[in-house]
């Protein structure tokens, strides 16, 4: 086994890691192209395959790893997103966010009073619908969400601490890895065909980068907005509060928590006052499976399988709450002032939640992936000492 691993590593080094990764990406898009059941994904794959092929060509003609991987990111994310938006193609949630935004602007609440079909339900908190109200994009959330993600990754690139190691250009390596992360088919396709989880992921990345620079108020506003999009933002708020406590003490952590809560309430309370019952039905009962129409979110994940096996709703809720309490206690007992620790714990907590909730999709893991890897590679804050 060890000899096989060494042989594989030697092959990758000889061929080039970027070339191996991009070839894998291209092979995945070709597999998507032969699946006739996913029309939107096939449209993405048609354009993305050209982008990956162009990146491989760039490596062959000496364009360099960083520029070639940037070509891959542009060709697999930006170009297909523009094409799909121009054609009006996307997953149903794109239209759900847009119609919710129109309803929010017209009536002060994005929620319909008597939803009768699955697409009448709008299971997101009010802040997310703001991305469907951008006139310049025709109410399509994918372009503003992508712009926010790029800004967040630039924040990681600029604000994180980068220490060159020997002759290796650490900044160039980080740029290459970030481009490969965005160009990964599972990330690129999710951005291009849906984009629903991209705003939360981008704001979480931005919040962690801001903590790395001790800009706690701005970070709290970003995390407060994620909590006003989806309740899962609470995981990042808790972990960052613990990290800030280890970095600068209890007072800084409490201020962070207060600003986070205030931001969430400012974004949510006006809608809750207009239509409290509609918000409860859409945001709580529908995702929990307690509404007349069942959520279409499904996958072979443990929480979903337990629900299908007949586990009662109260037992599912108890399982999720127990896991959350255990995770929170573990974070407190094994806390760290390093934002790399915070990013990894946010990703782990979200993965745990997505594994255990009764209605879940594999696509939800886009958020922990985008939060974990940039800070893992950048090593942001890894040398921040704990307070005396």
């Amino acid at each position: 086994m060890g000899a096989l691993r060494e042989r594989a590593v030697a092959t990758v080094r000889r061929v080039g890691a970027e070339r191996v990764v991009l070839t894998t990406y291209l092979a995945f898009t070709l597999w998507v192209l032969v699946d006739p059941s996913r029309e939107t994904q096939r449209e993405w794959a048609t354009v993305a395959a050209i982008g990956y092929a162009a990146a491989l060509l760039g490596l062959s003609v000496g364009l360099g790893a960083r520029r070639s991987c940037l070509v891959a990111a542009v060709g697999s994310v930006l170009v297909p997103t523009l094409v799909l938006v121009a054609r009006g193609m996307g997953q149903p949630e794109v239209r759900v966010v847009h119609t919710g935004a129109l309803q929010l602007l017209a009536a002060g609440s994005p929620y319909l009073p008597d939803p009768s079909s699955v697409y009448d339900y709008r299971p997101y908190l009010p802040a997310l619908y703001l991305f469907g109200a951008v006139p310049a994009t025709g109410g399509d959330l994918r372009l503003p969400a992508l712009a926010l993600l790029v800004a967040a990754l630039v924040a990681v690139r600029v604000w994180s601490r980068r220490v060159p190691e020997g002759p290796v250009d650490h900044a160039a390596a980080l740029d290459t890895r970030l481009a490969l992360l965005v160009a990964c088919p599972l990330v690129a396709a999710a951005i291009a065909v849906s984009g629903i989880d991209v705003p939360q992921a981008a704001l979480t990345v931005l919040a962690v980068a801001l903590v790395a620079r001790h800009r706690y108020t701005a970070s709290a506003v970003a995390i407060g907005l994620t909590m006003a999009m989806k309740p899962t933002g609470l995981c990042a708020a808790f972990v960052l509060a613990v990290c800030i406590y280890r970095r600068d003490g209890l007072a800084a952590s409490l201020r962070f928590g207060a600003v986070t809560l205030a931001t969430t309430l400012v974004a949510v309370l006006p809608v809750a006052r207009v239509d409290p019952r509609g918000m409860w039905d859409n945001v709580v009962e529908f995702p929990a499976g307690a509404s007349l129409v069942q959520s279409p979110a499904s996958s072979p994940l443990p929480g979903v399988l337990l629900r299908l096996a007949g586990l009662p709703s109260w037992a599912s809720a108890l399982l999720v709450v127990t896991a959350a309490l255990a995770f929170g206690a573990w974070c407190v007992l094994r806390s760290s002032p390093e934002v790399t620790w915070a990013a990894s714990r946010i990703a782990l907590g979200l993965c745990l939640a997505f594994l255990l909730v009764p209605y879940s999709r594999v696509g939800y893991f886009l958020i922990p992936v985008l939060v974990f890897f940039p800070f893992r590679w950048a090593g942001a804050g890894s040398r921040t000492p704990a307070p005396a």
Side-chain angles (χ1 to χ4, degrees):
M1 192 69 180
L4 182 62
R5 180 183 176 184
E6 291 179 0
R7 194 176 300 115
V9 171
T11 301
V12 170
R13 287 177 177 173
R14 183 173 64 254
V15 175
E18 293 82 9
R19 185 172 280 104
V20 171
V21 171
L22 289 172
T23 302
T24 305
Y25 289 178
L26 179 59
F28 181 86
T29 59
L30 297 178
W31 174 74
V32 173
L33 284 173
V34 301
D35 184 356
S37 64
R38 300 180 180 274
E39 181 182 1
T40 307
Q41 284 81 356
R42 291 179 66 193
E43 289 289 332
W44 164 80
T46 301
V47 181
I50 299 174
Y52 296 140
L56 286 168
L57 179 62
L59 288 174
S60 301
V61 300
L63 187 61
R66 178 159 55 177
R67 293 179 180 177
S68 298
C69 292
L70 181 60
V71 169
V74 172
S76 63
V77 180
L78 179 60
V79 176
T81 299
L82 291 172
V83 170
L84 290 173
V85 169
R87 294 182 178 179
M89 300 179 65
Q91 295 291 88
E93 54 265 28
V94 176
R95 180 165 180 78
V96 167
V97 171
H98 177 52
T99 56
L102 297 179
Q103 179 78 9
L104 175 63
L105 295 176
S109 171
Y111 310 113
L112 294 176
D114 295 306
S116 57
S117 71
V118 65
Y119 297 121
D120 288 338
Y121 281 92
R122 292 154 186 175
Y124 315 115
L125 288 169
L128 185 59
Y129 296 100
L130 298 178
F131 286 84
V134 181
T137 62
D140 195 307
L141 85 156
R142 286 172 287 183
L143 292 179
L146 177 57
L148 183 61
L149 177 62
V150 171
L153 294 178
V154 169
V156 174
R157 175 66 174 81
V158 172
W159 293 330
S160 62
R161 297 185 177 183
R162 301 177 300 278
V163 181
E165 300 176 0
V168 178
D169 187 346
H170 188 69
L174 178 59
D175 290 343
T176 302
R177 289 177 173 180
L178 290 177
L180 281 176
L181 173 65
V182 175
C184 174
L186 299 179
V187 175
I191 296 172
V193 306
S194 172
I196 197 69
D197 294 310
V198 176
Q200 186 180 11
L203 284 173
T204 304
V205 170
L206 182 61
V208 178
L210 288 166
V211 168
R213 305 302 297 174
H214 296 267
R215 299 180 181 180
Y216 299 147
T217 300
S219 177
V221 171
I223 285 298
L225 289 174
T226 69
M227 291 174 59
M229 293 178 183
K230 290 186 176 183
T232 49
L234 180 62
C235 174
F238 171 78
V239 171
L240 287 178
V242 173
C243 180
I244 291 170
Y245 168 73
R246 289 296 308 275
R247 290 167 71 90
D248 287 302
L250 181 60
S253 180
L254 291 176
R255 285 194 298 270
F256 172 85
V259 176
T260 300
L261 181 60
T263 302
T264 304
L265 293 178
V266 167
V268 172
L269 280 183
V271 175
R273 291 181 61 186
V274 171
D275 188 10
R277 182 61 193 177
M279 178 178 287
W280 177 264
D281 290 344
N282 283 265
V283 178
V284 179
E285 288 192 352
F286 177 67
S291 59
L292 295 177
V293 179
Q294 295 295 301
S295 170
S298 182
S299 60
L301 297 174
V304 177
L305 296 179
L306 288 173
R307 172 181 60 83
L308 295 177
L311 187 70
S313 297
W314 66 266
S316 294
L318 180 61
L319 176 64
V320 172
V321 170
T322 302
L325 292 175
F327 172 77
W330 178 63
C331 285
V332 171
L333 293 175
R334 301 295 297 272
S335 60
S336 168
E338 300 176 1
V339 295
T340 48
W341 171 88
S344 65
R345 295 312 182 272
I346 291 170
L348 181 61
L350 291 175
C351 286
L352 186 64
F354 299 150
L355 286 170
L356 296 180
V357 293
Y359 290 88
S360 185
R361 288 185 175 132
V362 175
Y364 294 166
F365 289 89
L366 171 74
I367 302 175
V369 165
L370 287 176
V371 172
F372 174 74
F373 284 104
F375 293 97
R376 172 80 172 181
W377 294 328
S382 60
R383 302 178 186 276
T384 302

